Amino acid sequence: MNSFQVTAGLERLLAGEAPHLQSLSIGLILHPASVTSGLQLSVDALLKEKYKVQALFGPQHGARGEKQDNMIESAHYADPFTGLTVHSLYSEVRKPTPEMLEGLDALVFDLQDVGVRVYTFIWTMLLAMEACAEAGLRFIVLDRPNPIGGVQREGAVLRENFESFVGLHAIPLRHGMTCGELAIWMNAVRGIGCDLEVIECRGWSRSMRWSDTRLPWVAPSPNLPTPGSCLVYPGMVLLEGTNLSEGRGTTKPFEYFGAPYLNVKDLMDFLAEELLEGVTIRPCHFQPTFQKYAGVICAGGQLHITDPDTFHPVRTAVAILRAVRALAPQEFRWSSPPYEYEENLMPIDLIWGHDGLRHSIDRGATVDEALEGVREDLDAFSESAESSLIYE
């Protein structure tokens, strides 16, 4: 496949392809990956082109990515570089209030998503769309590529009664859509009625890898530093619901996994029997500098993707959970609440989308048994989403 430059929605806006927006007073939802192809932050680029940016809104990790860890709230403050008010949407509020939207004509969303349900940026988008519908404001998505592609969908579809800020609507763990496509779909299926405009990417196709886009990579959050970390994230994020380290506090978050109580040889022998495709799991030891097991040597593995087209991160992570549960039944634990503002439900259930995976692993199910019924739910979701897809 020939590589060529993709033009993100921000670039098209700056090129004057939506002149009707230049006269509007706008609020901008942004983070450090909200950049032009020349790596200029979107707020700076928009102000330079005389767009009337009146306020900034920061998602999880902050408008300028100042929060390293997950589940650490950001404050409201005055941006020291532009002087604009920054409203935190990961604080005591996650939905823009009427006071935050006062004086605005439109809210512009320019976040780089990673294609996974539990990544909170799409839920910031959903709540902002609802707030704009209630306030009579236009909502504009400056679309960006899905860095893990738009072909594969994996993992459970969220079920009723398992909603949280890592899942507010029934979509799969790996959803295979862009933010613009999700906005169109959710605006329809949830009956939001938002005055929605999506400024599409130009040149992106669903089968593209990030390297095909020739866009620069800026980490959308501190623990997804590379496109490779994004490829493993749809599955390895499940480890957040356990007492396994998912590699936070190392240079390879979500690529490393392990715990002090594991035996590397036994683990590798067990996983070899799973015949996982597109990935080699290298036995290794690592010592996190923060989060789980900070300062303690963990035994485990590192995922090396050998073929992104055949690699299935969710299946791989389920195999890892099955192996650890079988090899260390006394030491392995599911994490307890709270998790992402939910005080009662088990974190693993929120991440997976229901309690089926936890119960399957606990009773010693095979990987295929643990994933039973997932494909049917994915097919139903794909049929529902088809009419909202923008890109081929």
Side-chain angles (χ1 to χ4, degrees), residues 239 242-246 256-264 267 284-286 288 292-293 296-301 324 328 331-332:
L239 274 59
T242 74
N243 67 348
L244 285 167
S245 168
E246 66 275 11
Y256 285 143
F257 71 94
Y261 57 77
L262 289 176
N263 179 292
V264 166
L267 179 65
C284 70
H285 294 79
F286 60 92
K292 298 174 188 172
Y293 306 118
V296 178
I297 295 177
C298 294
V324 175
E331 296 87 356
F332 175 76

Side-chain angles (χ1 to χ4, degrees), residues 119-142:
Y119 210 59
T120 60
F121 297 159
I122 58 175
W123 308 121
T124 294
M125 179 180 72
L126 171 64
L127 294 177
M129 288 171 62
E130 292 178 348
C132 285
E134 293 161 8
L137 271 62
R138 184 176 300 178
F139 189 80
I140 300 152
V141 177
L142 304 182

Side-chain angles (χ1 to χ4, degrees), residues 77-238:
Y77 63 99
D79 181 47
F81 304 99
T82 63
L84 295 170
T85 297
V86 180
H87 301 292
S88 173
L89 298 180
Y90 196 76
S91 60
E92 76 281 2
V93 295
R94 285 161 296 286
K95 179 178 179 178
T97 65
E99 292 74 22
M100 292 176 179
L101 300 176
E102 191 172 345
L104 301 180
D105 300 312
L107 196 54
V108 176
F109 179 91
D110 184 30
L111 299 183
Q112 177 62 63
D113 185 45
V114 299
V116 181
R117 186 210 319 123
V118 298
Y119 210 59
T120 60
F121 297 159
I122 58 175
W123 308 121
T124 294
M125 179 180 72
L126 171 64
L127 294 177
M129 288 171 62
E130 292 178 348
C132 285
E134 293 161 8
L137 271 62
R138 184 176 300 178
F139 189 80
I140 300 152
V141 177
L142 304 182
D143 214 8
R144 291 180 177 271
N146 184 326
I148 59 174
V151 176
Q152 288 189 39
R153 294 194 171 109
E154 297 180 74
V157 174
L158 181 75
R159 291 182 185 170
E160 190 176 359
N161 299 322
F162 289 91
E163 296 87 355
S164 71
F165 197 52
V166 290
L168 290 172
H169 195 79
I171 69 172
L173 191 54
R174 180 178 184 176
H175 53 71
M177 299 173 78
T178 68
C179 287
E181 292 174 329
L182 278 171
I184 293 168
W185 181 72
M186 291 193 293
N187 200 35
V189 298
R190 286 179 70 94
I192 298 172
C194 177
D195 181 5
L196 174 65
E197 180 175 357
V198 176
I199 300 181
E200 304 169 9
C201 301
R202 179 176 291 132
W204 187 72
S205 64
R206 314 199 77 79
S207 61
M208 276 187 168
R209 301 175 187 170
W210 184 262
S211 59
D212 296 323
T213 70
R214 294 178 55 197
L215 292 171
W217 177 257
V218 176
S221 58
N223 288 292
L224 289 178
T226 67
S229 57
C230 293
L231 281 173
V232 301
Y233 181 70
M236 298 305 282
V237 69
L238 291 166

